Amino acid sequence: MTAVAFLFTFVFAIVSLSNPCLIRAQKGGFSVDIIHRDSPKSPLYNHLGTSYDRVTNALRRSFGRAHRLRPVSVSTTDVQADIIANSGEYLMNISIGTPAFDIVAIADTGSDLIWTQCKPCSQCFEQTAPLFDPAASYTYKTISCRASQCVNLEGSSCSSNQSCQYSVSYGDESFSDGDVAADTLILSSTSGPPVILPNVVIGCGHHNGGTFTENESGIIGLGGGELSLISQLGTTIAGKFSYCLLPLTETGDSSKMNFGSDAIVSGNGTVSTPMTKIDPPTFYVLTLEAISVGTNRINFTNRPFGTAEGNIIIDSGTTLTLLPGDFYSQVESSVSSMINATKVTGPEGLSLCYNAITEFAVPDITVHFTGADVKLQPLNTFAMVTETIACFTFAQAPISDLAIYGNMAQMNFLVGYDTEKQTVSFKPADCTKN
């Protein structure tokens, strides 16, 4: 057999594995652990920090995350995937290329493009792991400027050899520039064979920078845009994904992200609310009608996106729930009036904190989305930031009119997204058992 014939046979064999895996996943699904940044299982774990340090740092990172989520111009398989919380976000372990090359990248519901740092690199942020070398992957191929994936990508341009280039930037001044390409992407499973996805469009970044850590190598976009992992999985997952986030006190255990039929959220206690499409389509936007503190209902009428519906981004990567100033002040005032405890000064940005040496009762707080009333538990609304101080996990947004429904409010809920029906569902759950 000639070298060319052998290479063709080898590549064909690898790619053809994807179909059986996809068929198997549609029937039975598979699962992958998602691990909190501060878990001892995480590569980002700081053994010198206390549990309170980790909580405080996570809360503070929400304000930086808010700037990243600010909309800016960008120059039915069942799957579950590993994600590790980082900077209020999550990391996903995946493999790309043939042979498979492992990478750890931010799993981001607030962005679309899947990209990783690549050789050769004119400017890269420092990372511990080796850079992906596209020349070493038999299945890697650049995409032409004429391809629809390039034409429909915001911030795309043409190189001198007519291959597609991308340029993406984020509100926190992070950025990546490089080649738009297609390659095999592999998602590992804890319950069966890996799912192999051929011809996934990715960005191969040769010029990158920003607020990344050395344990990260790029971003896995899980947003609503055309080139996100969710959209590229398309009909194979029927547009469905879900997650069940563990409370901060359970960081030693693993959570899961589900795709496809395993991601359906239903049964007693499930409530659903419609999503609103905005431009850009990256963000998952819901309509917040009000927040009730006890029996005091505080209506929310902001319309930051200029649409009749849709006023709050739901984001798994922001720790705090951030609200516009006037509305937040009303919520805080109502919460404060129902707590019998001594107020104390907490970390910067958290304006409602109490001395928790003696336990105090937390009022019932219900978030009213259109068609879905989500009753929160105390673990969703207050967090211990020191041994003696507990702080409210809602805060004033650093950007006027921006509202973000953060991950602490989502902990111990099964949260399911259906991008075909354009709904998000919530079901109270013990995420240590999901």
Side-chain angles (χ1 to χ4, degrees):
M1 180 181 293
T2 67
V4 172
F6 173 80
L7 178 59
F8 175 82
T9 302
F10 175 75
V11 172
F12 178 79
I14 291 293
V15 173
S16 66
L17 285 173
S18 62
N19 290 337
C21 288
L22 287 174
I23 292 170
R24 182 202 58 75
Q26 282 180 316
K27 293 179 179 179
F30 73 92
S31 65
V32 190
D33 291 334
I34 55 178
I35 307 168
H36 195 275
R37 165 200 176 105
D38 295 322
S39 167
K41 297 179 180 180
S42 166
L44 306 177
Y45 179 70
N46 177 8
H47 69 280
L48 298 177
T50 68
S51 60
Y52 303 111
D53 292 335
R54 297 177 189 116
V55 170
T56 300
N57 290 336
L59 299 177
R60 284 173 172 164
R61 287 192 296 267
S62 292
F63 299 104
R65 172 71 172 176
H67 288 283
R68 166 174 274 184
L69 284 186
R70 179 182 59 206
V72 296
S73 298
V74 296
S75 74
T76 18
T77 298
D78 306 324
V79 181
Q80 295 183 341
D82 288 338
I83 49 182
I84 308 164
N86 172 57
S87 301
E89 301 158 341
Y90 292 86
L91 298 182
M92 182 179 290
N93 296 302
I94 66 169
S95 301
I96 56 175
T98 309
F101 184 90
D102 297 336
I103 66 170
V104 179
I106 297 169
D108 190 5
T109 56
S111 65
D112 293 323
L113 187 66
I114 304 164
W115 65 265
T116 188
Q117 298 200 112
C118 290
K119 292 182 178 179
C121 204
S122 62
Q123 176 185 324
C124 275
F125 55 85
E126 184 177 349
Q127 69 175 59
T128 303
L131 297 178
F132 175 62
D133 185 357
S137 173
Y138 301 119
T139 44
Y140 179 91
K141 56 186 178 184
T142 57
I143 288 178
S144 164
C145 293
R146 297 185 296 275
S148 61
Q149 297 96 328
C150 185
V151 173
N152 296 332
L153 176 63
E154 291 186 66
S156 64
S157 61
C158 252
S159 69
S160 57
N161 63 0
Q162 295 300 299
S163 64
C164 187
Q165 307 285 294
Y166 76 92
S167 179
V168 61
S169 60
Y170 305 92
D172 63 354
E173 299 184 357
S174 298
F175 65 90
S176 178
D177 305 319
D179 297 315
V180 180
D183 208 339
T184 299
L185 186 147
I186 303 169
L187 298 171
S188 299
S189 170
T190 60
S191 59
V195 167
I196 303 172
L197 307 168
N199 297 316
V200 172
V201 176
I202 63 171
C204 200
H206 301 293
H207 182 244
N208 321 291
T211 59
F212 301 98
T213 73
E214 63 183 11
N215 299 102
E216 304 160 355
S217 58
I219 286 182
I220 307 297
L222 299 172
E226 181 180 341
L227 294 184
S228 76
L229 179 61
I230 304 303
S231 298
Q232 292 197 69
L233 285 169
T235 58
T236 63
I237 63 167
K240 297 177 178 63
F241 71 100
S242 69
Y243 49 75
C244 198
L245 301 179
L246 291 164
L248 290 179
T249 54
E250 303 290 340
T251 56
D253 293 322
S254 299
S255 301
K256 299 195 184 303
M257 177 171 274
N258 312 295
F259 297 81
S261 61
D262 279 358
I264 296 172
V265 178
S266 61
N268 291 337
T270 302
V271 293
S272 299
T273 186
M275 286 191 279
T276 298
K277 290 186 176 181
I278 64 167
D279 187 24
T282 302
F283 305 108
Y284 297 108
V285 177
L286 310 180
T287 301
L288 174 64
E289 295 183 344
I291 292 178
S292 289
V293 181
T295 59
N296 181 27
R297 181 182 172 109
I298 306 163
N299 293 325
F300 185 57
T301 58
N302 286 42
R303 292 292 180 264
F305 303 112
T307 55
E309 286 80 32
N311 56 17
I312 188 168
I313 296 169
I314 179 171
D315 179 45
S316 63
T318 302
T319 304
L320 294 169
T321 290
L322 301 174
L323 302 170
D326 290 345
F327 182 66
Y328 172 74
S329 294
Q330 295 179 64
V331 173
E332 180 189 291
S333 176
S334 186
V335 172
S336 176
S337 71
M338 298 184 192
I339 292 180
N340 183 20
T342 302
K343 289 185 179 180
V344 295
T345 300
E348 183 179 357
L350 302 179
S351 58
L352 186 60
C353 298
Y354 292 94
N355 186 325
I357 293 177
T358 302
E359 290 187 7
F360 58 87
V362 173
D364 291 334
I365 296 178
T366 302
V367 180
H368 302 284
F369 298 110
T370 298
D373 293 341
V374 180
K375 185 177 180 180
L376 303 180
Q377 299 300 313
L379 68 86
N380 301 120
T381 58
F382 275 85
M384 296 295 297
V385 296
T386 73
E387 291 183 358
T388 60
I389 297 176
C391 292
F392 190 37
T393 61
F394 289 39
Q396 181 174 332
I399 300 172
S400 176
D401 284 338
L402 180 67
I404 299 174
Y405 193 63
N407 63 38
M408 284 203 70
Q410 301 175 56
M411 290 175 178
N412 267 5
F413 283 90
L414 187 57
V415 183
Y417 298 68
D418 189 327
T419 61
E420 291 187 350
K421 293 182 178 179
Q422 285 290 293
T423 59
V424 173
S425 299
F426 301 89
K427 182 180 180 180
D430 180 352
C431 291
T432 63
K433 298 178 180 178
N434 283 277

